[in-house]
Amino acid sequence: MTDSTTDTDRYWHTGVSAITPESVYVRGYKLDDVIGLPFTAATFLMIKGRLPTPQETKVLDAVLTGVLDYGLEKSGTAAARYVVSCNPSIQAGLAAAALSAGDYGLATENTARFISDTYEEFKASGETDVDAFAEKVVAKAKAEKRRIPGFGHQVFKYTDPRAQILKKIALDAGLWAEPAELYEAVHRAFIKLPGREHFPINDVAVLAAITVAMGFTPEESTALAILGTLPGVVGHISEEFASRKVQRLIPPETVHYDVPRRDLRTDLAAAGWDTDV
Amino acid sequence: MTDSTTDTDRYWHTGVSAITPESVYVRGYKLDDVIGLPFTAATFLMIKGRLPTPQETKVLDAVLTGVLDYGLEKSGTAAARYVVSCNPSIQAGLAAAALSAGDYGLATENTARFISDTYEEFKASGETDVDAFAEKVVAKAKAEKRRIPGFGHQVFKYTDPRAQILKKIALDAGLWAEPAELYEAVHRAFIKLPGREHFPINDVAVLAAITVAMGFTPEESTALAILGTLPGVVGHISEEFASRKVQRLIPPETVHYDVPRRDLRTDLAAAGWDTDV
Amino acid sequence: MTDSTTDTDRYWHTGVSAITPESVYVRGYKLDDVIGLPFTAATFLMIKGRLPTPQETKVLDAVLTGVLDYGLEKSGTAAARYVVSCNPSIQAGLAAAALSAGDYGLATENTARFISDTYEEFKASGETDVDAFAEKVVAKAKAEKRRIPGFGHQVFKYTDPRAQILKKIALDAGLWAEPAELYEAVHRAFIKLPGREHFPINDVAVLAAITVAMGFTPEESTALAILGTLPGVVGHISEEFASRKVQRLIPPETVHYDVPRRDLRTDLAAAGWDTDV
Amino acid sequence: MTDSTTDTDRYWHTGVSAITPESVYVRGYKLDDVIGLPFTAATFLMIKGRLPTPQETKVLDAVLTGVLDYGLEKSGTAAARYVVSCNPSIQAGLAAAALSAGDYGLATENTARFISDTYEEFKASGETDVDAFAEKVVAKAKAEKRRIPGFGHQVFKYTDPRAQILKKIALDAGLWAEPAELYEAVHRAFIKLPGREHFPINDVAVLAAITVAMGFTPEESTALAILGTLPGVVGHISEEFASRKVQRLIPPETVHYDVPRRDLRTDLAAAGWDTDV
């Protein structure tokens, strides 16, 4: 493969992998050599383009196992089981689960983007006092009535134990870096506001903070959260196949139907149609 | 655009549409002219590559409205609502609904393939007596313990009223063609078997028969069934957005949980791991 | 089915359809009666919950045929063909096409949301002079450096012929209502800015304006645009199946590969791993 | 949570996980404890319902890294990049990649199903001589003109080096179990047929054999293959976002267009429509 300089005019560019007749090079390494690497290290390699350190691998393991499964109390799992109950294709089920990550669950990217942008602003500001900067961030959000993402949890009022576990793993590995520290400063400033004492940094937010601190983009942060849940989704899909139930429906006793009874011909005439549409 | 003969060596071929700097040609017609055509006629044009007759359009309307919506008692609708409750993207919801069509619902293609293949065999056989051929088809399926798709309905025991309505529209339009007649002959032979009197041709099977009779492929038959349900799915997604509920879950009172309580460290040691994984 | 008042406490609500043992009611009408209705009218019914007038049906036909297909020069078509070349499932192909609608193509919802929100603000403002209000909208967008969506076209500099065709159909049907007129006023104010004379309202924006004027939500607007393109996608998927090519790839001669050659063991050691990972 | 016996009548069953107000139990273990486990071990746990041994984890790492990425020469990667070029949603891109696994690539399940079914038949047959049984399998497939999946490779004629690497890892871990050995016997019988010497067991087939030998179902085998490729897909999606290109199309110079020019009014009249449709 000759990568001539004029190549850069081509329609597509990639640095992820290249194929020769005898070999596949992923991020530059022979696939033959990479086979057998811990999958977490390979995940880091494929996304970031370089091998992780053992510490980075350990923290990425924590990220990927941080939200393994919430069972049937997660929209994506429900969606996947409904899909495969009618279309017994594991691809379709996994796709439905991935598509269910979003603003209301699993998509860490909003929080990651906030952390990432705030950190960029901090660096650009020339400010050196993290806490003073954080106070301004909170004041500005308050003035603009913008929500700061990642604070508060349905159950936990002061600390979220899962968030603490994740943070400790990142701290121990020396990977609770500046963007995460700045986010904590923002949190400290936030809970000074009256009535906000009960808003801990939640687990999803810590996942976001760690991925930003490790250098992942906000979208990659969401991708890692999705990846982490897929083994659980596979478990559920296998249960669904084993259930021998097909064509799952929403149990009618959980539905309020508000469907009147009408006559089509009458209403078509009223809408201006010839009677014999 | 010069369509030189050597072009046929190119990697991609298409006859669906072409773009020039000023115009778009769909199936050869200027898009500017096609705008405003009844969408059903445009659907036929885009898939089959030629304009339909008014009769074909009427029958295609019947196909597309044949399975408009089964509400929350359809897996695809449920899946779509779960997906958008977490990821408020209508694209994701429509994709989940499309992915839910399959062997256990909405995918007419298995029946369409049976009708299509049986008709090909009939033509290739030189046989002229449709009923005699149909008897052989049923006998062969019985011997090979293969199910003939499309017979039987959960509720209707002798005739499926929706199937009759669909067939009548095709008959009136002169489009209940030979493949559909052969399938009916197979059905007549089938219900002669003892205990099979209660198996009418169901509505999905009539949809399949009509689409084959109109010259659609089995896969296109499924696509038309999916297309027909999507407006209902849009209605449900809009209801979901309006509900202000997010992160839908499977109501826990409908779930049997069979999750024991175990200790990780104990079981890791038992599985041969060093204690400090 | 008894719809007792306490039903409203149930987890799910729907007004789209209901099933009884013998019948399906879609938006209140017996499905048996609705079968055979023009699909465009049925589409309106399922989404809006009421029958359209013949004029509304005509305009909705224009919306649905407004962007029938841009062939292989549309990302969604390309994605669908790549998917089915490896996984010959028409469901998967249609899902990929639906997922490709977005901020950079086919998703009319951003423009529809702008039109819808601007119209709400206009009504709330008490202002009666549409043009005076429009001037303020443009001035505010300029001050806040926000882009007003829907103005400008890659090819057409003064008027977009397709946009004109769509507008004329809506005008003739009496459905070019106030939100659309307000959007035109915003456009008139916009092109007064120096250097903006060459920015016509484009076809996608007119689609958005018409759907808002007809009372569809922004998300429904995108759904209608997706629905309109699906028949073309089916045509392409059928071509792909007929091509007998499988496992489509990006032609290597269109790719610039920037993949260095590295040694795994060396780099693992450098990253702090024991040599025998 | 009381799991009373009557619970088993409920509509849904699951053993994957359960949530209490304070904790999440995945496969019985507190999620808090599982956080930080190697993701590969967690993947095994979530799918199989029990912790893997270190050897099983090692082999699963090999499975997951067995097909990390084939770059732009894989349909799923291409599909994902096309999708996100128009809809910048990483969920949509991952879904498109998952949907691209199928009969013509990445779906190991057909081979896994063959291996699994053949092994079941072997055990049921009472036969003790693996090679004698394998001869019969090959003879029967030949008689029925059925293809045995997994033999042959586009490039490698005698041995597939990647397949050898994977097999060695499974052998070393003591996990190249009976189903895999039987499959090899089938291969030995197969290459005795004249003209078949050049058909090695390929890498995808070895992946299938290993997953069956480890007790995964055919569908789970495909899921693992998909999971293994997703990090590479994330890498490509990030490249696509960074490219600043939007609305990717199939380069026109790679397309043969076969779109005639026709007149709509003429052809509508010929198809039997009133001229003023």
Side-chain angles (χ1 to χ4, degrees):
Chain A
M1 193 179 41
T2 45
D3 295 342
S4 71
T5 45
T6 56
D7 272 351
T8 58
D9 299 331
R10 290 181 173 178
Y11 188 59
W12 298 96
H13 287 212
T14 189
V16 181
S17 59
I19 302 190
T20 63
E22 292 87 32
S23 215
V24 177
Y25 291 87
V26 292
R27 293 297 190 182
Y29 303 108
K30 276 196 177 179
L31 178 53
D32 294 8
D33 294 341
V34 175
I35 291 177
L37 208 66
F39 182 57
T40 304
T43 297
F44 189 105
L45 170 65
M46 297 310 290
I47 299 177
K48 298 284 302 167
R50 67 166 175 83
L51 289 168
T53 63
Q55 289 74 25
E56 286 169 325
T57 307
K58 208 168 175 52
V59 177
L60 189 53
D61 272 325
V63 167
L64 290 169
T65 55
V67 197
L68 275 181
D69 188 52
Y70 287 172
L72 295 173
E73 309 194 27
K74 189 156 58 67
S75 309
T77 310
R81 290 187 76 148
Y82 274 102
V83 166
V84 302
S85 80
C86 224
N87 180 13
S89 149
I90 201 155
Q91 298 94 311
L94 294 175
L99 292 175
S100 300
D103 286 356
Y104 302 119
L106 210 57
T108 48
E109 70 194 86
N110 290 338
T111 307
R113 196 165 288 121
F114 172 81
I115 297 171
S116 184
D117 290 351
T118 304
Y119 184 62
E120 289 304 314
E121 288 162 22
F122 174 67
K123 284 194 301 183
S125 71
E127 179 90 59
T128 52
D129 182 337
V130 166
D131 283 294
F133 186 83
E135 297 279 355
K136 287 181 209 160
V137 169
V138 171
K140 187 157 171 259
K142 189 164 187 291
E144 295 174 1
K145 295 184 181 174
R146 275 189 300 98
R147 216 182 125 265
I148 296 178
F151 300 157
H153 191 282
Q154 288 178 302
V155 172
F156 305 114
K157 292 305 167 202
Y158 293 92
T159 58
D160 177 335
R162 216 130 52 225
Q164 293 302 311
I165 292 166
L166 288 162
K167 178 185 165 182
K168 186 175 184 311
I169 291 172
L171 264 178
D172 289 353
L175 290 168
W176 188 255
E178 287 192 341
E181 287 168 349
L182 174 59
Y183 184 59
E184 282 191 302
V186 172
H187 179 252
R188 280 193 301 272
F190 178 81
I191 56 175
K192 283 188 197 163
L193 296 178
R196 302 292 173 83
E197 305 81 2
H198 304 302
F199 285 74
I201 299 184
N202 61 40
D203 52 348
V204 169
V206 170
L207 281 181
I210 294 174
T211 54
V212 172
M214 291 177 85
F216 291 103
T217 67
E219 292 87 357
E220 290 164 355
S221 181
T222 290
L224 291 169
I226 292 173
L227 201 61
T229 64
L230 290 185
V233 174
V234 176
H236 282 282
I237 294 175
S238 287
E239 283 188 340
E240 190 59 31
F241 289 154
S243 78
R244 303 277 160 211
K245 292 203 175 169
V246 298
Q247 263 191 310
R248 290 275 193 184
L249 45 72
I250 304 271
E253 66 272 19
T254 64
V255 184
H256 169 61
Y257 289 99
D258 184 18
V259 180
R261 298 293 181 264
R262 299 161 167 170
D263 180 67
L264 186 70
R265 293 296 133 186
T266 308
D267 289 1
L268 276 176
W273 293 81
D274 288 344
T275 38
D276 58 338
V277 177
Chain B
M1 191 179 43
T2 46
D3 295 344
S4 70
T5 45
T6 55
D7 274 350
T8 58
D9 298 332
R10 290 179 172 179
Y11 187 59
W12 298 95
H13 287 212
T14 190
V16 180
S17 59
I19 302 189
T20 63
E22 291 89 30
S23 215
V24 177
Y25 291 87
V26 292
R27 294 300 190 179
Y29 304 108
K30 275 195 176 179
L31 177 53
D32 294 8
D33 295 340
V34 175
I35 291 175
L37 208 66
F39 182 56
T40 304
T43 296
F44 189 104
L45 170 66
M46 296 311 289
I47 300 177
K48 298 283 302 167
R50 68 165 174 84
L51 290 167
T53 63
Q55 289 75 26
E56 286 170 326
T57 307
K58 211 170 172 49
V59 177
L60 189 53
D61 272 325
V63 167
L64 290 169
T65 55
V67 196
L68 277 180
D69 189 52
Y70 287 173
L72 293 173
E73 308 193 28
K74 190 155 59 67
S75 310
T77 310
R81 289 187 75 148
Y82 274 102
V83 166
V84 302
S85 79
C86 224
N87 180 12
S89 147
I90 201 153
Q91 299 93 310
L94 294 175
L99 291 174
S100 299
D103 286 356
Y104 302 119
L106 211 57
T108 48
E109 70 193 87
N110 290 339
T111 308
R113 196 165 287 121
F114 172 80
I115 296 171
S116 183
D117 290 351
T118 305
Y119 183 62
E120 290 303 314
E121 288 163 23
F122 174 65
K123 285 194 300 182
S125 72
E127 180 90 57
T128 52
D129 183 337
V130 166
D131 282 294
F133 185 82
E135 296 279 357
K136 286 180 210 160
V137 169
V138 172
K140 189 159 170 254
K142 189 165 187 292
E144 294 174 2
K145 294 183 182 176
R146 275 187 300 99
R147 216 182 125 268
I148 296 178
F151 301 157
H153 191 281
Q154 287 178 301
V155 172
F156 305 114
K157 291 303 167 203
Y158 293 93
T159 58
D160 176 335
R162 216 129 53 224
Q164 294 301 311
I165 291 167
L166 288 162
K167 179 186 165 183
K168 187 176 182 312
I169 291 172
L171 263 178
D172 288 353
L175 290 168
W176 188 255
E178 286 191 342
E181 287 168 350
L182 175 59
Y183 184 58
E184 281 191 302
V186 171
H187 180 251
R188 280 193 302 273
F190 178 81
I191 56 175
K192 283 188 197 164
L193 296 177
R196 303 292 171 84
E197 305 81 3
H198 304 301
F199 285 74
I201 299 184
N202 60 39
D203 53 346
V204 168
V206 169
L207 280 181
I210 293 174
T211 53
V212 172
M214 292 178 84
F216 290 103
T217 67
E219 290 87 359
E220 288 165 355
S221 182
T222 290
L224 291 170
I226 292 172
L227 201 60
T229 64
L230 290 184
V233 174
V234 176
H236 282 283
I237 294 175
S238 286
E239 282 187 340
E240 191 60 31
F241 289 154
S243 78
R244 302 275 158 212
K245 292 203 175 170
V246 298
Q247 262 190 311
R248 290 274 192 185
L249 44 72
I250 304 270
E253 67 271 20
T254 66
V255 184
H256 170 62
Y257 289 98
D258 184 18
V259 180
R261 298 291 182 265
R262 299 161 168 169
D263 180 67
L264 186 71
R265 293 296 132 185
T266 309
D267 290 0
L268 276 176
W273 293 81
D274 288 345
T275 38
D276 58 338
V277 178
Chain C
M1 192 179 43
T2 46
D3 295 343
S4 72
T5 45
T6 55
D7 273 349
T8 58
D9 298 331
R10 290 180 172 177
Y11 187 59
W12 298 95
H13 287 211
T14 189
V16 180
S17 59
I19 302 190
T20 64
E22 291 87 30
S23 215
V24 177
Y25 292 87
V26 292
R27 293 299 189 180
Y29 303 108
K30 273 196 176 178
L31 178 54
D32 293 8
D33 295 340
V34 175
I35 291 176
L37 208 67
F39 182 56
T40 303
T43 297
F44 189 104
L45 170 65
M46 298 310 289
I47 300 177
K48 297 284 301 167
R50 68 165 174 84
L51 290 169
T53 63
Q55 289 74 26
E56 286 170 326
T57 308
K58 211 169 173 49
V59 177
L60 188 53
D61 272 324
V63 167
L64 290 169
T65 55
V67 197
L68 277 180
D69 189 54
Y70 288 172
L72 294 173
E73 308 193 29
K74 190 155 59 65
S75 309
T77 310
R81 290 187 74 149
Y82 274 102
V83 166
V84 301
S85 79
C86 222
N87 180 13
S89 148
I90 201 154
Q91 298 95 309
L94 293 175
L99 292 174
S100 300
D103 285 356
Y104 302 120
L106 211 56
T108 48
E109 69 194 88
N110 290 338
T111 307
R113 197 165 287 121
F114 172 80
I115 297 171
S116 183
D117 290 351
T118 305
Y119 183 63
E120 289 305 315
E121 288 163 22
F122 173 67
K123 283 193 301 182
S125 71
E127 179 90 58
T128 53
D129 182 338
V130 167
D131 282 294
F133 185 83
E135 297 279 356
K136 287 180 210 161
V137 169
V138 171
K140 188 159 171 255
K142 190 166 187 290
E144 296 174 1
K145 294 184 182 174
R146 275 188 300 99
R147 216 183 126 265
I148 295 178
F151 300 157
H153 191 281
Q154 287 177 301
V155 172
F156 306 114
K157 291 304 165 204
Y158 293 92
T159 58
D160 176 334
R162 215 130 52 226
Q164 294 302 311
I165 292 167
L166 288 162
K167 179 186 165 185
K168 187 175 182 312
I169 291 172
L171 263 179
D172 289 352
L175 290 167
W176 187 255
E178 286 191 341
E181 286 168 351
L182 174 59
Y183 184 58
E184 281 191 303
V186 171
H187 179 250
R188 280 194 300 274
F190 178 81
I191 56 175
K192 283 188 196 163
L193 296 177
R196 302 293 172 84
E197 305 81 2
H198 305 301
F199 285 74
I201 299 184
N202 60 39
D203 52 347
V204 169
V206 169
L207 281 180
I210 293 174
T211 54
V212 172
M214 293 178 83
F216 291 103
T217 67
E219 291 86 358
E220 289 166 355
S221 182
T222 291
L224 292 169
I226 291 173
L227 201 60
T229 64
L230 290 184
V233 173
V234 176
H236 282 282
I237 293 175
S238 287
E239 282 187 340
E240 191 60 30
F241 288 155
S243 79
R244 303 278 159 209
K245 292 204 175 168
V246 297
Q247 263 190 310
R248 291 274 193 184
L249 45 72
I250 303 271
E253 66 272 18
T254 65
V255 183
H256 169 62
Y257 289 98
D258 183 18
V259 181
R261 299 294 182 262
R262 300 161 168 169
D263 180 68
L264 186 71
R265 293 297 132 185
T266 309
D267 290 1
L268 276 175
W273 293 81
D274 288 344
T275 38
D276 59 339
V277 177
Chain D
M1 192 181 41
T2 47
D3 295 343
S4 72
T5 46
T6 56
D7 272 350
T8 59
D9 298 332
R10 290 181 171 178
Y11 188 60
W12 298 95
H13 287 211
T14 189
V16 181
S17 59
I19 302 190
T20 64
E22 291 87 31
S23 215
V24 177
Y25 292 86
V26 293
R27 295 298 190 182
Y29 302 108
K30 275 197 177 180
L31 178 53
D32 294 8
D33 295 339
V34 176
I35 291 177
L37 208 66
F39 182 57
T40 304
T43 297
F44 189 105
L45 170 65
M46 297 310 290
I47 300 178
K48 298 284 302 166
R50 66 165 176 85
L51 289 168
T53 63
Q55 290 74 26
E56 286 170 325
T57 307
K58 209 169 174 50
V59 177
L60 189 53
D61 271 325
V63 167
L64 290 169
T65 55
V67 196
L68 277 181
D69 189 53
Y70 287 174
L72 294 173
E73 309 194 26
K74 189 156 60 66
S75 309
T77 310
R81 289 187 75 148
Y82 274 102
V83 166
V84 302
S85 80
C86 223
N87 181 13
S89 148
I90 201 154
Q91 299 94 310
L94 293 175
L99 291 174
S100 299
D103 286 356
Y104 302 120
L106 210 56
T108 47
E109 69 194 88
N110 290 338
T111 307
R113 196 165 288 120
F114 172 81
I115 296 171
S116 183
D117 290 350
T118 304
Y119 183 63
E120 290 304 315
E121 287 163 23
F122 174 67
K123 285 194 299 182
S125 72
E127 180 90 58
T128 52
D129 183 337
V130 167
D131 283 293
F133 185 82
E135 297 280 355
K136 286 180 210 161
V137 169
V138 172
K140 187 158 170 258
K142 190 165 188 289
E144 295 174 1
K145 295 184 182 175
R146 277 189 298 100
R147 217 182 124 266
I148 295 177
F151 301 157
H153 191 282
Q154 287 178 302
V155 172
F156 305 115
K157 291 305 166 201
Y158 293 93
T159 58
D160 176 334
R162 215 129 54 225
Q164 293 302 311
I165 291 167
L166 288 162
K167 178 185 163 182
K168 186 174 184 313
I169 291 172
L171 263 178
D172 288 354
L175 290 167
W176 187 254
E178 287 191 341
E181 288 168 349
L182 175 59
Y183 185 58
E184 283 191 302
V186 172
H187 180 252
R188 282 193 301 273
F190 178 80
I191 55 175
K192 282 188 197 164
L193 295 178
R196 303 291 171 84
E197 305 81 4
H198 305 301
F199 285 74
I201 299 184
N202 60 40
D203 52 348
V204 169
V206 170
L207 280 181
I210 293 174
T211 55
V212 172
M214 292 177 84
F216 291 103
T217 68
E219 292 86 358
E220 289 165 354
S221 181
T222 291
L224 292 169
I226 291 173
L227 202 59
T229 64
L230 290 185
V233 174
V234 176
H236 282 283
I237 293 175
S238 287
E239 284 188 340
E240 190 60 29
F241 289 154
S243 78
R244 302 278 160 208
K245 292 204 174 168
V246 298
Q247 263 190 311
R248 290 276 192 185
L249 45 73
I250 304 270
E253 66 273 19
T254 65
V255 184
H256 169 61
Y257 289 98
D258 184 18
V259 180
R261 298 293 181 264
R262 298 160 167 170
D263 180 67
L264 185 71
R265 294 295 134 184
T266 308
D267 289 1
L268 276 176
W273 293 80
D274 288 344
T275 37
D276 58 338
V277 177

